[in-house]
Amino acid sequence: MVSLPLAKSLPVAAYQCLMLSDVQQKLDCTLRIREQWCCGGLSLKRPGEAHDACLAGLPEELEFVPFNRLPKRSLTSKQGHAALIHSFLHIECNAINIAWDAVYRFQHMPDAFYDDWSRIAAEEAYHFRLLQDYLLTLGYDYGSFPVHGGLWQMVEQTRSDVMLRMALVPRVLEARGLDVSPGIIRRFRAHEMDEAADILQIIYQDEIGHVAIGTKWFNTICKERGLDSHATFENLINTYAIDKIRQPFDLVGREKAGFSQREMKYLHALEAKKQ
Ligand SMILES: [Fe+2]
Ligand SMILES: [Fe+2]
């Protein structure tokens, strides 16, 4: 593969990587950017304001369909299992883009913010590789099944404010991933799909860290703005994400990821109100 020349600024290189539609190039660039950032080879210099539009590169051959037209994902057939793994793969590809969008878009954050989000990008690329290699052993690859574009809507909705992004992407969407993972891992084990279960276990552990990074920056920004983080989180959930909150919650994972008892009480009450 031909290596692309990367910018010497982290936000600019992040944008270059975000816009790549070739996934193998995106993975390669992601790891190179992270390496260069870690060894001090990248600045935080920006050419100006980020574009308002939230654009991101994905493979051109992906077929997008509405949620209700996605292929059946069941564990009883090889194809159904592959379709489920493919849906996780698509989430990881979006997650790489989400991480680079955060680095590119949000300015004037402390250096640690960019360190955290470039680390997330590298971990999402690692998750993508694990899942892709496994999917190949099943006889499929990225693009073998249709996908839906729902994940990106929340990224667009939160493009203007880093506080919204931290509250609603890691602390709602990725936290939802924590909620469903233990059950899927158990089902994989029950069907003797141990390789898939082991991969998901690695991803689950890393994702706790991603949600924790969301918690850390959400709380930091609230503090800086003189806002009560609990009241603000509740307000944002009510406004943007009420339909995304679903029980059962992964209490162990959410606690490790920094959800307070008060936040969990609120989320439980919200679910109870819906029933
Ligand atoms: Fe991931
Ligand atoms: Fe993640």
Side-chain angles (χ1 to χ4, degrees):
M1 187 195 304
V2 184
S3 280
L4 291 175
L6 284 171
K8 287 285 166 204
S9 137
L10 177 68
V12 180
Y15 182 71
Q16 284 181 296
C17 193
L18 172 67
M19 296 309 291
L20 289 172
S21 55
D22 182 301
V23 173
Q24 300 313 314
Q25 280 189 342
K26 195 186 286 287
L27 298 175
D28 174 55
C29 279
T30 295
L31 299 181
R32 276 169 53 215
I33 295 172
R34 174 64 184 165
E35 255 171 48
Q36 285 185 25
W37 168 255
C38 286
C39 68
L42 296 176
S43 73
L44 286 172
K45 228 162 117 186
R46 293 170 182 273
E49 290 292 312
H51 300 302
D52 186 43
C54 244
L55 302 173
L58 284 171
E60 278 146 29
E61 57 279 12
L62 280 181
E63 183 198 347
F64 283 85
V65 296
F67 196 79
N68 58 6
R69 283 194 39 224
L70 286 173
K72 223 172 172 296
R73 305 150 181 184
S74 96
L75 296 191
T76 49
S77 73
K78 189 176 155 193
Q79 200 187 25
H81 177 54
L84 182 60
I85 298 293
H86 187 273
S87 68
F88 300 150
L89 192 61
H90 183 56
I91 290 172
E92 297 297 346
C93 191
N94 275 288
I96 299 169
N97 283 342
I98 287 170
W100 286 136
D101 185 77
V103 170
Y104 160 68
R105 179 166 305 281
F106 299 119
Q107 310 201 7
H108 315 301
M109 296 296 288
D111 288 9
F113 177 88
Y114 303 103
D115 189 51
D116 281 343
W117 281 94
S118 61
R119 177 161 68 81
I120 291 178
E123 288 181 354
E124 307 296 15
Y126 171 56
H127 300 166
F128 186 96
R129 281 233 159 94
L130 287 175
L131 289 165
Q132 187 184 32
D133 288 349
Y134 177 66
L135 191 61
L136 287 169
T137 68
L138 301 176
Y140 298 91
D141 198 356
Y142 194 29
S144 295
F145 298 94
V147 296
H148 74 99
L151 239 180
W152 202 252
Q153 283 168 7
M154 190 66 97
V155 179
E156 280 175 342
Q157 273 187 306
T158 56
R159 68 183 184 274
S160 61
D161 187 352
V162 62
M163 185 181 79
L164 254 68
R165 177 68 63 84
M166 296 300 113
L168 298 172
V169 175
R171 303 199 85 224
V172 172
L173 299 187
E174 288 193 289
R176 176 87 194 124
L178 297 186
D179 295 337
V180 298
S181 290
I184 299 172
I185 292 169
R186 272 197 302 276
R187 279 171 59 211
F188 281 166
R189 299 249 181 249
H191 284 78
E192 294 176 1
M193 294 165 169
D194 283 324
E195 197 180 341
D198 291 345
I199 293 170
L200 248 65
Q201 187 64 41
I202 294 170
I203 294 176
Y204 170 73
Q205 291 301 336
D206 287 346
E207 294 301 334
I208 290 175
H210 301 177
V211 180
I213 285 171
T215 299
K216 171 176 118 182
W217 290 108
F218 175 69
N219 289 340
T220 303
I221 299 160
C222 285
K223 205 169 163 197
E224 268 173 23
R225 296 183 187 178
L227 298 170
D228 177 287
S229 63
H230 286 107
T232 306
F233 186 63
E234 290 172 16
N235 192 13
L236 292 175
I237 296 284
N238 281 327
T239 311
Y240 296 97
I242 221 148
D243 58 322
K244 304 260 183 310
I245 307 298
R246 238 166 278 151
Q247 293 208 54
F249 301 116
D250 172 32
L251 298 177
V252 176
R254 279 183 180 256
E255 193 188 339
K256 286 186 192 161
F259 278 85
S260 67
Q261 286 190 355
R262 186 174 148 185
E263 283 172 327
M264 288 317 301
K265 213 170 141 190
Y266 163 74
L267 294 176
H268 278 294
L270 200 64
E271 263 294 275
K273 236 193 274 171
K274 278 197 229 166
Q275 281 151 16

